[in-house]
Amino acid sequence: MKPTAFLRRTPVRTLLATGLVTSLALVSGCAKSEDDDGKDKNPASQGDSGQVVATPDAGSGPACAIDAYGGKKLDLETATVGFSQSEKEANPFRIAETASIKAEAEKRGVKLLTANAQSQFSKQISDVQDLIAKGADLLVIAPLNSDGWEPVLRAASAKHIPIVTIDRKINATACKDYVTFIGSDFVEQGRRAADRMIEATGGKGEIAVLLGAAGNNVTTERTEGFEDRIKEKAPGLEIVFRQTGEFAREKGQSVTENLIQSKPGITGIYAENDEMGLGAVNALKGAGKKPGAVKIVTIDGTRNAVQGIVDGWIDGVIESNPRFGPLAFQTLDTFTKGEKVAQNVVIEDSAYTSDNAEADLGKAY
């Protein structure tokens, strides 16, 4: 991808069904990350930060309507929505995602039930079953894993409860087991990260991949996009190290410490999320490396990672926007009114480089 792919965000416009245009409001809420330094991290202060839909029209691909799904029309304002978060909210992505869902529910006056699986898949299954038992009419799920959802799908189907999944997919059938998936094109994120790595390294050297957690489509697709693009465009870049950092900063640091010992001449590190990338930065600092000595490209768009670009430690961050609240609730509203929604709603993601990181720092989360 040419450098023009890393431009600043376009104005926010969201189209969920044919003829329906909705302006997304900014999500308000305040939460602290691991590195809270006292600076304002309130999403309401972060400028134009809402999601933009890349595949907006329900008529442009497979769509789902409530009669085909087997549900019934209802008024979202009087419904109860259950939200299942997958991971501990020490990760800024999860903090921002949950804050977005809660803020939009409050804005709309919708009753919201929430649960956090604390990164335990068995707990997430029981969490969602509990949300159903407590009377959730609709479900928004951020899945920890892509497989293993059969018990939840059976329970929801028995009560004709619509399910919207966000940020990760489940391996099931859209408009039968669940209504729609809302999230990024993770293969494209991997490609864009590869393009940035090629530019940063000049297309030569040895690079490492810090893989995300196993068992979900995000890791698989970010790896696929990155590795395929490297093979296609930069035969002089060799991937010499792959190991999971489990999407966690501490694990990313320990893996990178081992990497530095085994591959002291490493040229670049591709971290499949910002937290692992920040762990890699900590490891490089501990080894006495200078900023920029090892090129680092990450995915997410957290404030700490974007600050890492400003400070010279990170060379590029591909955004993965976590502010799903407005889009998820608009999708539910459209669907429960009887209108069609796309079965796969792909959002556009921006990116940060040295050209825009300092100016756009306030847009990060």
Side-chain angles (χ1 to χ4, degrees):
M1 182 171 289
K2 297 178 181 179
T4 52
F6 299 93
L7 295 176
R8 299 170 70 172
R9 293 178 180 81
T10 56
V12 177
R13 294 184 301 276
T14 301
L15 180 59
L16 292 170
T18 305
L20 174 65
V21 179
T22 304
S23 296
L24 296 183
L26 294 177
V27 176
S28 62
C30 185
K32 293 184 178 181
S33 74
E34 294 176 3
D35 284 352
D36 193 343
D37 53 10
K39 296 179 180 178
D40 181 11
K41 293 182 175 63
N42 186 333
S45 69
Q46 294 177 1
D48 181 5
S49 57
Q51 292 175 334
V52 180
V53 179
T55 57
D57 195 335
S60 64
C64 187
I66 202 161
D67 54 350
Y69 187 78
K72 60 182 180 180
K73 294 181 183 180
L74 56 86
D75 185 347
L76 183 60
E77 290 185 1
T78 62
T80 297
V81 176
F83 172 59
S84 171
Q85 178 57 275
S86 57
E87 298 177 2
K88 300 175 182 178
E89 290 177 11
N91 184 325
F93 183 97
R94 298 299 166 187
I95 294 171
E97 183 176 64
T98 298
S100 176
I101 295 291
K102 289 181 175 179
E104 187 65 16
E106 182 178 358
K107 173 187 170 184
R108 289 173 174 265
V110 175
K111 181 179 179 181
L112 181 70
L113 305 175
T114 63
N116 189 304
Q118 300 295 312
S119 303
Q120 301 171 46
F121 186 60
S122 61
K123 184 177 185 307
Q124 186 167 38
I125 296 299
S126 63
D127 281 350
V128 180
Q129 290 172 326
D130 188 51
L131 291 172
I132 293 172
K134 288 179 178 177
D137 301 300
L138 306 159
L139 291 169
V140 177
I141 300 174
L144 182 63
N145 294 339
S146 295
D147 292 318
W149 284 94
E150 289 79 9
V152 162
L153 300 179
R154 285 195 297 268
S157 177
K159 294 190 174 184
H160 306 291
I161 298 173
I163 297 173
V164 169
T165 71
I166 59 173
D167 84 59
R168 291 178 184 172
K169 293 182 178 180
I170 61 174
N171 290 328
T173 304
C175 206
K176 175 179 177 290
D177 301 313
Y178 66 98
V179 175
T180 185
F181 161 74
I182 304 173
S184 300
D185 183 334
F186 303 114
V187 173
E188 180 63 17
Q189 287 179 341
R191 294 188 190 112
R192 295 175 71 195
D195 290 334
R196 188 65 198 149
M197 181 65 75
I198 292 167
E199 185 174 341
T201 60
K204 297 180 181 179
E206 296 183 339
I207 54 177
V209 178
L210 301 187
L211 301 165
N216 66 78
N217 69 301
V218 177
T219 296
T220 301
E221 293 175 18
R222 285 179 180 173
T223 303
E224 174 190 338
F226 183 84
E227 296 196 356
D228 287 352
R229 183 61 64 90
I230 292 294
K231 290 177 184 177
E232 174 193 353
K233 295 182 64 176
L237 272 178
E238 183 183 2
I239 299 173
V240 297
F241 181 96
R242 297 177 185 83
Q243 189 169 329
T244 181
E246 299 174 2
F247 287 136
R249 189 181 306 192
E250 183 177 323
K251 183 70 172 178
Q253 179 172 342
S254 64
V255 169
T256 304
E257 288 168 348
N258 294 334
L259 167 67
I260 294 168
Q261 293 295 319
S262 63
K263 302 288 183 181
I266 198 75
T267 305
I269 297 172
Y270 166 47
E272 293 185 343
N273 82 335
D274 286 353
E275 287 295 288
M276 293 189 297
L278 290 166
V281 170
N282 289 341
L284 293 171
K285 288 179 178 178
K289 300 287 187 181
K290 300 295 183 183
V294 178
K295 307 302 181 183
I296 298 177
V297 177
T298 73
I299 299 177
D300 266 350
T302 66
R303 183 172 292 219
N304 289 322
V306 178
Q307 183 64 50
I309 299 176
V310 177
D311 296 339
W313 285 100
I314 296 177
D315 290 88
V317 175
I318 309 303
E319 182 195 47
S320 197
N321 195 326
R323 299 177 179 97
F324 286 94
L327 187 51
F329 277 86
Q330 184 58 55
T331 301
L332 290 173
D333 193 27
T334 300
F335 182 74
T336 55
K337 286 177 179 176
E339 301 176 50
K340 291 182 179 180
V341 298
Q343 293 180 17
N344 194 51
V345 180
V346 179
I347 63 173
E348 293 181 358
D349 293 312
S350 187
Y352 299 93
T353 69
S354 58
D355 292 335
N356 69 346
E358 188 167 9
D360 286 356
L361 183 61
K363 296 179 182 178
Y365 54 89

